[in-house]
Amino acid sequence: MTADGEIIHFDNVGLRYGTDREVLSDLTFTLFPGRFYFLTGASGAGKTSLLRLLYLAQRPSRGAIRMFGTDAITMPRGRLPQLRRRIGVVFQDFRLIPHLSAFDNVALPLRVAGHREDDLAGPVRDILDWVGLSDRIGARPPTLSGGEQQRVAIARAVIARPAMLVADEPTGNVDPDMAQKLMRLFEMLNRQGTTVVVATHDLDLLRKVPESLIMRLDRGRLSDPTGALRYPPRKVQ
Amino acid sequence: MRRLFRARGAELIPQARMSGPMPWVIAIMVAMTVIALAAGLALGNAVSSAKAEIEGGVTIQILEPRADVRAAQARRAVDAIKAMPGVSGLRLVPQAELDALIEPWLGTGIATATGSAVPVPALIDVRLKGPANPQALSIIEDALKPVAPSARVDAQSNWLKPVFDAMVSLQLLAIALVALLALALTAAVLLAARTALGTNRDTIEIVHLLGGTDSQVARVFQRSIGYDAAGGGAVGLALALVVILSLSRRFAGLGAGLVDNGALIWSDWLLLAAVPVLAILLAMVTARLTVLHALRKML
Ligand SMILES: Nc1ncnc2c1ncn2[C@@H]1O[C@H](COP(=O)(O)OP(=O)(O)OP(=O)(O)O)[C@@H](O)[C@H]1O
Ligand SMILES: [Mg+2]
């Protein structure tokens, strides 16, 4: 199955950690560019595990994954960094580097991609301003509140304008107003072409993005109540 | 890409810079390695220069109690050896020098006190062009038999053989010490790299997931450990140099020939300076391999 314009395709993917039972089973779906996806499911259903496959932190135990038109399973290791740079990730546990300032944490993806120092200061300040942290630019993560750390993590995920944004419970630590605001940031990026995948069990969040598509994980198996995963819905706009 | 590592205050791996124990362990290991190596090299120099000096050396003693006969035999022996081919130097040790040699044991004024000199053998120092091997010695003995029957011919190297043997075994000991210390230094560096990897694993993983390449991550790490090893190496080398220089001044003060000849030459100093450089290289290569290995396991 090769759908034109697909960004991700999973074919019969399964994942087990070690020799345990499979935490993800028989996943077959396609993600299309420019869409906004929510991934829901109970705690322990496998949301983080699925996202780890998406941001190339993990190989599946079985099945095939195609990303950006290339086979992600057989691809040589050396090509993975290029792919990862097209994916922005908000980790469930933030994973900020504790001894770097908020500024340097956010600048990291740009530095990794080789951007010049002069070119990155402006955008980094802008995005930190956007998430309401302009006065905490020099603060180190351990001195930030949970919500502030989460916003730094989001800023880092979007700073390089990734083709795909993968966010694991990105609003878990912020108040509803900030959650709303962050969703608007994601929507804005989405409107500029970024495919967004947000894992959450906050059903209110789903309603905040009316054009979103929903995937539901139930004990490692995927269902798509909107039926939008296999057949590309008519293009929005 | 260098900017990732150079940005001010944005060091991916926090620089411990001589604050952890590892640089100091490396410093001590480097110091001991350098000192042991210097000792080994100095002993080697002493042995080989002393060897070269006495290799062609032959001592002839005229063991004759009657002073006049002894003097006559010594003169004839000198004449006989002068006529021999293959001799590059010859010296009849003057009586005054012989007296000086025995003075520490017998004291001065023995001749005047007893009215007759203590019968000290006459000594002739001969330097051969070739080595003083048994054939050379027997040729000399044959030549001396008719003219100086009281002559005894010895190669100087025979006399000093026990000293050489001792020096050679000391040198072997030094070499073994250098090998052991180098091994311990390697282990220290390995441990340092592992420890650093352990404490920075999260950072490494994050950079990796943000699209950092293996060599980008390895370079950051390598540089950080390189700094530590360089600091430790410099301190260790300085420490060792202080020890070596003050020891060599002590030995020079002794004025004993063998030790003087043990002075280090410029290539020895280069070798000593190479120890910390090797330690740094080893640290960086180890760090690199350790990180690359860890990254390979990460996908
Ligand atoms: N590294 C791991 N090793 C072994 N088991 C794991 C590992 N990570 C996750 N699991 C297991 O896989 C299952 C799915 O975990 P996962 O983190 O994907 O769930 P989740 O849907 O993200 O849950 P939550 O909503 O609580 O974040 C769980 O049963 C979990 O115990
Ligand atoms: Mg999770």
Side-chain angles (χ1 to χ4, degrees), chain B residues 54 57-61 63 101 121-125 137 152-165:
Chain B
I54 62 174
V58 173
T59 302
I60 297 168
Q61 301 173 80
L63 301 162
L101 272 178
L123 277 186
I124 303 169
D125 252 345
L137 293 185
R152 201 182 122 183
V153 181
D154 286 297
Q156 287 172 2
S157 53
N158 283 350
W159 293 27
L160 287 170
K161 191 166 182 306
V163 178
F164 278 139
D165 288 351

Side-chain angles (χ1 to χ4, degrees), chain A residues 42-44 46-49 51 92 168-169 199 201:
Chain A
S43 178
K47 299 184 294 298
T48 299
S49 301
L51 295 191
Q92 190 166 12
D168 202 347
E169 299 283 359
H201 35 221

Side-chain angles (χ1 to χ4, degrees), chain A residues 55-59 77 80-81 84-85 91 95-97 99-100 104 108-109 111-112 114-117 156, chain B residues 3-4 7 9-12 14 202-203 205-214 216 295-296 298-299:
Chain A
Y55 58 71
L56 295 167
Q58 181 89 46
R59 266 189 215 286
R77 267 195 97 242
L80 289 173
R84 288 194 183 106
R85 287 177 194 177
F91 301 96
R95 313 204 72 177
L96 301 173
I97 297 180
H99 58 269
L100 293 187
D104 287 323
L108 197 51
R111 290 191 173 131
V112 165
H115 286 253
R116 292 191 28 224
E117 209 65 18
R156 182 181 66 185
Chain B
R3 216 147 297 251
L4 171 61
E11 303 272 9
L12 271 183
D202 276 353
T203 303
E205 205 173 307
I206 292 166
V207 176
H208 179 67
L209 287 177
L210 294 184
T213 61
D214 288 4
Q216 262 180 328
L295 285 172
R296 295 260 146 73
M298 277 180 201
L299 174 74

Side-chain angles (χ1 to χ4, degrees), chain A residues 16-209:
Chain A
R16 65 173 82 236
Y17 294 107
T19 54
D20 284 358
R21 71 195 159 81
E22 277 194 331
V23 297
L24 294 174
S25 299
D26 306 330
L27 300 185
T28 301
F29 65 89
T30 307
L31 300 186
F32 297 93
R35 299 282 158 176
F36 199 121
Y37 297 93
F38 277 111
L39 176 62
T40 65
S43 178
K47 299 184 294 298
T48 299
S49 301
L50 175 49
L51 295 191
R52 280 172 60 80
L53 293 175
L54 284 179
Y55 58 71
L56 295 167
Q58 181 89 46
R59 266 189 215 286
S61 327
R62 63 185 174 91
I65 296 178
R66 205 164 50 239
M67 297 181 97
F68 304 109
T70 39
D71 186 338
I73 309 288
T74 58
M75 181 178 349
R77 267 195 97 242
R79 289 197 46 214
L80 289 173
Q82 286 306 326
L83 230 57
R84 288 194 183 106
R85 287 177 194 177
R86 302 174 67 181
I87 305 169
V89 189
V90 184
F91 301 96
Q92 190 166 12
D93 49 356
F94 317 144
R95 313 204 72 177
L96 301 173
I97 297 180
H99 58 269
L100 293 187
S101 65
F103 180 94
D104 287 323
N105 266 288
V106 174
L108 197 51
L110 298 180
R111 290 191 173 131
V112 165
H115 286 253
R116 292 191 28 224
E117 209 65 18
D118 303 339
D119 299 340
L120 59 79
V124 171
R125 275 169 209 287
D126 286 351
I127 194 74
L128 278 169
D129 196 26
W130 216 97
V131 296
L133 288 173
S134 45
D135 54 336
R136 305 292 278 143
I137 253 178
R140 280 154 208 261
T143 69
L144 295 173
S145 76
E148 286 170 333
Q149 290 182 43
Q150 189 148 47
R151 284 180 274 155
V152 174
I154 289 169
R156 182 181 66 185
V158 301
I159 184 73
R161 299 190 170 272
M164 178 167 75
L165 176 70
V166 176
D168 202 347
E169 299 283 359
T171 57
N173 291 278
V174 295
D175 58 72
D177 280 354
M178 183 45 81
Q180 178 97 39
K181 199 174 171 206
L182 292 175
M183 279 304 123
R184 270 204 283 133
L185 171 64
F186 288 179
E187 273 187 274
M188 220 167 65
L189 276 167
N190 178 241
R191 241 172 268 130
Q192 289 169 13
T194 298
T195 307
V196 179
V197 183
V198 177
T200 182
H201 35 221
D202 178 0
L203 295 177
D204 278 344
L205 213 55
L206 272 58
R207 278 175 224 122
K208 286 183 177 133
V209 187

